[in-house]
Amino acid sequence: MFNVLLGSASETLDIGRILLDLTIILIVAKAAAEVSERIHVPAVIGEIFAGILIGPSVLGLVNTGDMLFFLAELGVILLLIQVGLETDIVELKSVGRASLLVAIIGVALPMALGFGVGSMLGESVNTSLFIGATLTATSIGITARVFGDLRALATIEARTVLGAAVVDDVLGLIILTVVTRIVEQGSVGIGTIASTIGLAVGFLAVTSTVGFTIFPQLFARITQVARSTSTVSVVAIGIALGFSVLAEKAHLAPIIGAFVAGLALRRITTHERVERDVSSLAQIFVPIFFLNIGISTNIRAMADARVIGVALLISVVAVVSKIAAAFGAIGSRGDKWTIGFGMLPRGEVGLIFASIGLSVGAFSEELYGSVLVVVLITTLIAPPLLRWRLGTQAQAIEDSTALAMRPLEGWVTNIDGQIVLNGAPPVRSLVEIGLASASLAIDAQPSSQLLDWFALHRNATLSWDDDATIGLLRVLRHGSARSWRFLETIGFVQRALPEVSEAMAARASDSTELDPTHSLQFPTVEAICLTSHASTDDLVLAAFAKDISDSGAYGQGAIARLGLDLATSKSVLMLLEGSQLLRNIVQSEPLQITPRLLAQIANHLKNPLLVEQCRQLVSARQDLSDTQNLALIGIVADVQEVLAHPDLVDSESNTLVESRLQAALALTTDDSIRARITHAPASYALTHSPKQMLDHALLVEPIPPSGDARIVVSPTPINDQWLVNIACRDRSALLARLSGALSSLNLNVINAEIATWADGAVLDIFTVQSAVEPQLRALTDAVQQSLQSRNVKTSESPYELTVQLDHSAHPWHSIMRVEGEDRTGLLRDIAATLTKLKVVIHHAQIGTDQGLVHNLFEISDAHGRKLSEQASNKIIRALR
């Protein structure tokens, strides 16, 4: 069907070649962007150079063509939809006088000087107009990235430049529309200019009015009736493309239609979802536009001396005119050089202007090459110039206020909705003032005076103390997304808590999240503070660390930076480990809760308050199913019961292990038996009663000779199940040997536990299934034969098992779940394999259902620790 549909098209289109070109372009574009990011060069520069490399001028891997041109045009339209979605018209009213003047001068002066240079070079009026129009562009994305990297977003210079960018975008696109229309008409006159401006303004007025008036209601209705989550975004993109068509029909640049549609879509309630979906599409098509610029570039033409000379001349004009725009900020305290440098980069906007100039015939190939060099130069020199200037401003500042006393009302106050700095605080108070201001930022705006103070000390060393921790807890308990936005803006988060900054960046890149403030929220902290009014500091900090870790950053690293005392740090760590332990247990499939596991959890967490706080951490996010919630409540209740049981806890014992051992020791006066009980493994002591430990010690003591064993068989409450206790000396592959011996007598092992003492004594406790009571004599012979044999006999058949390892579902050991087809001697074979891998088995729970096994092993390395990732992978490979 596909071939039939493409039959006629294939005569003119080489589908295979187009797909190959697209493959090369997408892979090379992403590789170029990654390399550029690592060497601190704007990604668009890397993509252009990559396009030159793979284009006809160098390697010739990709050729220009109609299809590539169309995909590039689609990319630039998506880019302008993005720009519109990110532009808030309301901001135009609040950019401030300085920003407005900088923007107007930054558009008018480059336009005038660019036109003058073009005329001086003997170019036509149309070409000169396009040179001027191209120079008006400013790429604010590159400048904002540099300000952010240098923690200077709070500076007055950054605020001025970012404000001017909003106006610059609108003015620049209007100029581009007018100039393009004039060039396409082929003549320049007052009538032409007036009609073109009238058409442009009319188009903007009509489409904006339609968009701003109709879009909110239209998309609210679509959201109500749509069943697919993608419907709103698809319709929005379709309408935006329709606006581009309308612009083209009106003989205006299609990108102006895309920009207006983006502005209007910004007003709909679901604009965050649309913005994310457009961004996802743009990540594919926008790089094609930038690579196409490089692919279409004729390097030989650019190598001409005249082209280079023209490029240098225009570059001088481009730099001088934008730096001069900083004079619009006269009267402002900001550094004029920094403002000028911030306006320099033409970036992607300049490239759009240049490409349109080439497509409408205003630029020759040589002049296009010159303009392209100008765009590259201004984009490349702006970041280092900004870093140099901002670095010079932020050199070490003598702290003349080191001895200043804190005012009674504190260093910051909310006055009429403005956060104002009181007095001249010392630099050492940066952390305290930052957190105090963040608390006030819930319902107040930071004053320019406060932002300037933080900008002045943006490179000062931060010192964390107990007061800072109290301030952080206040922000966590009572702050909001505005608080964290403020801390991010002044560079506090990046400097004081880089793990939090990493977590915020990871959340911001989540394309599935619709809430724009999601990256600035800590849901576990909010839930804990909302549901537990008496939440302790330890619990709040543990919730904070959990939110950071859930975003892929290192939560414990953030806690370590707070300089907490040892007791608090240990408590926070125990809360994190305990909550993760409970979560993994209730989410395990199938859910298997045994008295042994409950006792181990109780011993690990030690007190009822900690158990309850761990439960709060697990249930705070409300992401468990009803079944899992019920299981969690049941586990916590059972663990609390264990901790509160009078048989298990006495006033002189600190742990359940000590309580159990003391109770068992009270049952005997024999020194050798008491020594055996005293040195029993903790995991074993937790899961057996004092009477059982005494019976086991009597069986083990004294240790049987090598190759010999003592065996006791006793019934269980279940008719066909028997308890087989085997005491012997430790030796290689012991569980494999003993389970093999039991299997040879047709005894089906359904549970196995191993207790090993430091002197080599071993107690193996098996629960076996048999219709009749196992014969002690036959058992003894089979066990002794297995102990005395040199090697363990195993099956040669390959495993057909599924293996899963969980390192968080047990306090001390790793849990291995094995499922697959059952066979005779399977437990023996698995145990022998684990022995070869130097893995210790502490407990095994065997289940069989319709010929399939569901085995659960509690295992560790030779030192009793949880298995490493490398050891886990070896087990999975061996049992697969």
Side-chain angles (χ1 to χ4, degrees):
M1 181 70 172
F2 183 70
N3 290 332
V4 171
L5 291 173
L6 290 179
S8 59
S10 62
E11 297 176 5
T12 56
L13 291 178
D14 185 344
I15 301 300
R17 180 67 224 185
I18 291 173
L19 292 176
L20 177 61
D21 287 350
L22 191 57
T23 300
I24 295 172
I25 288 171
L26 291 177
I27 293 175
V28 170
K30 184 50 64 178
E34 290 289 338
V35 171
S36 299
E37 289 291 331
R38 283 163 172 74
I39 61 175
H40 304 293
V41 170
V44 293
I45 302 297
E47 289 166 352
I48 291 171
F49 279 114
I52 293 172
L53 182 65
I54 65 175
S57 294
V58 183
L59 298 178
L61 299 178
V62 176
N63 295 311
T64 57
D66 292 340
M67 183 58 70
L68 181 58
F69 174 78
F70 165 74
L71 294 175
E73 288 297 301
L74 182 58
V76 76
I77 287 173
L78 287 169
L79 179 60
L80 265 295
I81 297 173
Q82 256 189 305
V83 173
L85 280 164
E86 294 170 359
T87 302
D88 191 349
I89 289 294
V90 177
E91 290 183 15
L92 287 173
K93 303 176 183 178
S94 58
V95 294
R97 184 189 63 83
S99 293
L100 184 62
L101 288 176
V102 168
I104 292 173
I105 297 174
V107 170
L109 190 59
M111 180 72 199
L113 293 181
F115 180 83
V117 168
S119 300
M120 186 183 70
L121 293 172
E123 300 291 348
S124 67
V125 173
N126 287 351
T127 299
S128 299
L129 282 173
F130 237 105
I131 292 174
T134 303
L135 297 188
T136 63
T138 295
S139 172
I140 203 57
I142 294 168
T143 300
R145 176 68 179 273
V146 177
F147 278 127
D149 289 345
L150 295 176
R151 303 186 291 272
L153 283 171
T155 62
I156 190 171
E157 295 86 359
R159 301 199 303 273
T160 301
V161 172
L162 296 178
V166 180
V167 182
D168 193 287
D169 280 342
V170 177
L171 293 179
L173 282 172
I174 291 174
I175 288 175
L176 174 66
T177 301
V178 172
V179 170
T180 302
R181 174 72 171 155
I182 290 172
V183 170
E184 288 179 335
Q185 285 194 342
S187 62
V188 179
I190 296 177
T192 302
I193 295 175
S195 63
T196 301
I197 293 175
L199 180 61
V201 172
F203 178 84
L204 289 171
V206 172
T207 52
S208 298
T209 301
V210 170
F212 292 157
T213 304
I214 297 177
F215 280 14
Q217 298 177 3
L218 173 64
F219 282 95
R221 179 61 181 161
I222 293 174
T223 302
Q224 289 176 351
V225 301
R227 296 189 177 184
S228 171
T229 56
S230 63
T231 299
V232 172
S233 296
V234 172
V235 172
I237 294 170
I239 290 177
L241 294 176
F243 270 51
S244 298
V245 174
L246 289 176
E248 198 272 336
K249 293 298 182 183
H251 303 289
L252 301 174
I255 59 171
I256 194 69
F259 178 72
V260 172
L263 286 176
L265 289 170
R266 169 91 181 181
R267 305 293 292 273
I268 69 175
T269 55
T270 55
H271 72 88
E272 294 93 354
R273 177 58 188 261
V274 174
E275 187 174 342
R276 289 183 182 277
D277 288 344
V278 169
S279 176
S280 298
L281 269 179
Q283 289 181 28
I284 298 174
F285 290 102
V286 173
I288 296 177
F289 168 70
F290 293 124
L291 255 79
N292 187 54
I293 290 174
I295 293 169
S296 304
T297 300
N298 188 338
I299 290 295
R300 295 179 181 84
M302 290 178 64
D304 184 84
R306 186 182 188 301
V307 170
I308 296 174
V310 169
L312 293 176
L313 178 61
I314 299 177
S315 296
V316 171
V317 172
V319 171
V320 170
S321 59
K322 284 294 186 181
I323 291 177
F327 284 104
I330 287 179
S332 165
R333 297 187 306 277
D335 178 67
K336 307 305 181 291
W337 285 105
T338 303
I339 294 172
F341 293 156
M343 298 292 291
L344 275 183
R346 268 55 178 192
E348 67 278 5
V349 184
L351 293 171
I352 293 171
F353 283 28
S355 297
I356 292 175
L358 181 64
S359 65
V360 299
F363 290 160
S364 64
E365 230 180 46
E366 290 77 12
L367 186 55
Y368 172 74
S370 297
V371 173
L372 183 59
V373 171
V374 174
V375 173
L376 295 178
I377 289 175
T378 56
T379 304
L380 282 171
I381 66 172
L385 285 174
L386 278 172
R387 290 189 176 93
W388 165 74
R389 190 65 186 177
L390 288 169
T392 302
Q393 290 177 280
Q395 286 176 350
I397 299 170
E398 183 179 354
D399 188 7
S400 58
T401 60
L403 301 178
M405 298 294 291
R406 181 193 289 109
L408 293 177
E409 66 273 24
W411 287 118
V412 287
T413 309
N414 181 354
I415 300 178
D416 297 329
Q418 290 274 312
I419 307 173
V420 178
L421 197 62
N422 296 322
V427 177
R428 68 172 184 274
S429 300
L430 267 169
V431 174
E432 175 193 348
I433 296 172
L435 293 168
S437 302
S439 295
L440 294 174
I442 302 169
D443 52 9
Q445 292 286 346
S447 64
S448 298
Q449 167 217 25
L450 181 67
L451 292 174
D452 290 345
W453 185 79
F454 279 115
L456 183 66
H457 302 295
R458 63 182 175 273
N459 287 338
T461 302
L462 299 182
S463 55
W464 200 280
D465 55 20
D466 292 343
D467 289 338
T469 302
I470 293 172
L472 174 63
L473 284 165
R474 188 181 301 114
V475 172
L476 289 173
R477 283 192 166 99
H478 309 295
S480 66
R482 287 170 57 92
S483 304
W484 290 99
R485 173 67 73 195
F486 168 78
L487 292 174
E488 188 179 39
T489 300
I490 64 173
F492 177 93
V493 178
Q494 301 92 319
R495 297 162 65 194
L497 299 168
E499 292 83 5
V500 178
S501 179
E502 183 183 344
M504 287 179 174
R507 291 183 202 158
S509 63
D510 181 6
S511 60
T512 64
E513 180 54 54
L514 302 183
D515 185 355
T517 65
H518 170 69
S519 64
L520 305 171
Q521 295 175 345
F522 296 90
T524 308
V525 173
E526 292 172 11
I528 289 294
C529 293
L530 184 65
T531 58
S532 178
H533 299 294
S535 56
T536 63
D537 293 348
D538 301 0
L539 181 58
V540 173
L541 291 174
F544 182 49
K546 185 179 186 305
D547 282 328
I548 297 170
S549 298
D550 286 348
S551 299
Y554 185 40
Q556 293 181 28
I559 298 300
R561 294 181 186 276
L562 305 184
L564 303 175
D565 59 76
L566 185 60
T568 305
S569 298
K570 186 176 180 180
S571 176
V572 172
L573 181 61
M574 186 62 74
L575 283 167
L576 290 171
E577 290 182 353
S579 61
Q580 190 60 48
L581 172 66
L582 292 178
R583 174 176 288 275
N584 287 342
I585 290 172
V586 299
Q587 289 182 333
S588 62
E589 294 288 346
L591 183 63
Q592 296 173 321
I593 308 299
T594 64
R596 170 190 176 88
L597 180 59
L598 291 172
Q600 290 174 332
I601 295 172
N603 186 69
H604 184 61
L605 298 181
K606 293 184 174 57
N607 70 75
L609 175 61
L610 188 62
V611 174
E612 173 57 21
Q613 289 180 326
C614 288
R615 183 202 65 77
Q616 292 178 32
L617 278 177
V618 174
S619 58
R621 299 289 287 273
Q622 300 182 349
D623 56 352
L624 299 178
S625 66
D626 291 342
T627 303
Q628 291 169 342
N629 266 316
L630 289 173
L632 176 65
I633 294 170
I635 291 170
V636 169
D638 290 342
V639 171
Q640 299 282 29
E641 170 104 11
V642 172
L643 288 168
H645 201 286
D647 293 339
L648 299 179
V649 181
D650 62 49
S651 59
E652 298 179 356
S653 299
N654 294 323
T655 68
L656 291 174
V657 174
E658 293 177 9
S659 299
R660 291 279 178 94
L661 293 177
Q662 291 297 328
L665 290 172
L667 300 178
T668 181
T669 58
D670 186 293
D671 290 341
S672 60
I673 300 299
R674 287 175 64 87
R676 182 62 59 194
I677 293 173
T678 300
H679 296 97
S683 58
Y684 160 80
L686 278 171
T687 53
H688 294 88
S689 69
K691 178 63 169 63
Q692 288 174 327
M693 284 193 282
L694 175 63
D695 293 341
H696 294 161
L698 291 169
L699 181 65
V700 173
E701 191 62 32
I703 307 176
S706 181
D708 201 356
R710 295 192 195 96
I711 304 175
V712 172
V713 178
S714 57
T716 70
I718 302 175
N719 289 333
D720 62 344
Q721 292 186 12
W722 308 86
L723 203 62
V724 179
N725 293 343
I726 304 175
C728 60
R729 287 184 179 272
D730 196 11
R731 69 158 305 171
S732 63
L734 182 59
L735 179 60
R737 294 172 185 274
L738 298 180
S739 59
L742 296 174
S743 178
S744 68
L745 299 175
N746 295 320
L747 297 175
N748 184 26
V749 178
I750 58 176
N751 200 70
E753 182 182 350
I754 303 169
T756 304
W757 279 260
D759 60 358
V762 177
L763 175 67
D764 291 87
I765 305 170
F766 292 95
T767 302
V768 300
Q769 192 170 39
S770 175
V772 297
E773 180 178 354
Q775 296 299 308
L776 184 61
R777 185 63 203 169
L779 267 174
T780 302
D781 290 343
V783 167
Q784 289 183 346
Q785 183 178 354
S786 69
L787 292 174
Q788 293 167 6
S789 63
R790 179 172 297 181
N791 298 312
V792 180
K793 294 181 179 180
T794 58
S795 171
E796 298 298 326
S797 302
Y799 292 111
E800 295 182 6
L801 303 172
T802 300
V803 181
Q804 293 180 328
L805 282 111
D806 189 338
H807 306 297
S808 303
H810 191 278
W812 310 306
H813 305 141
S814 298
I815 298 297
M816 180 177 74
R817 292 181 175 83
V818 178
E819 297 182 349
E821 187 177 342
D822 193 14
R823 72 181 189 211
T824 303
L826 180 61
L827 175 60
R828 173 201 63 204
D829 295 345
I830 293 174
T833 299
L834 293 178
T835 298
K836 290 179 182 178
L837 297 174
K838 299 181 180 179
V839 173
V840 178
I841 302 174
H842 300 276
H843 184 263
Q845 186 173 334
I846 314 301
T848 306
D849 181 23
Q850 297 181 353
L852 297 177
V853 295
H854 306 279
N855 298 348
L856 192 70
F857 293 87
E858 185 182 312
I859 58 179
S860 72
D861 63 15
H863 303 288
R865 298 173 301 205
K866 295 184 180 184
L867 298 181
S868 66
E869 200 66 36
Q870 183 179 11
S872 300
N873 291 334
K874 285 183 179 179
I875 292 174
I876 293 172
R877 287 195 297 269
L879 295 179
R880 188 175 293 163

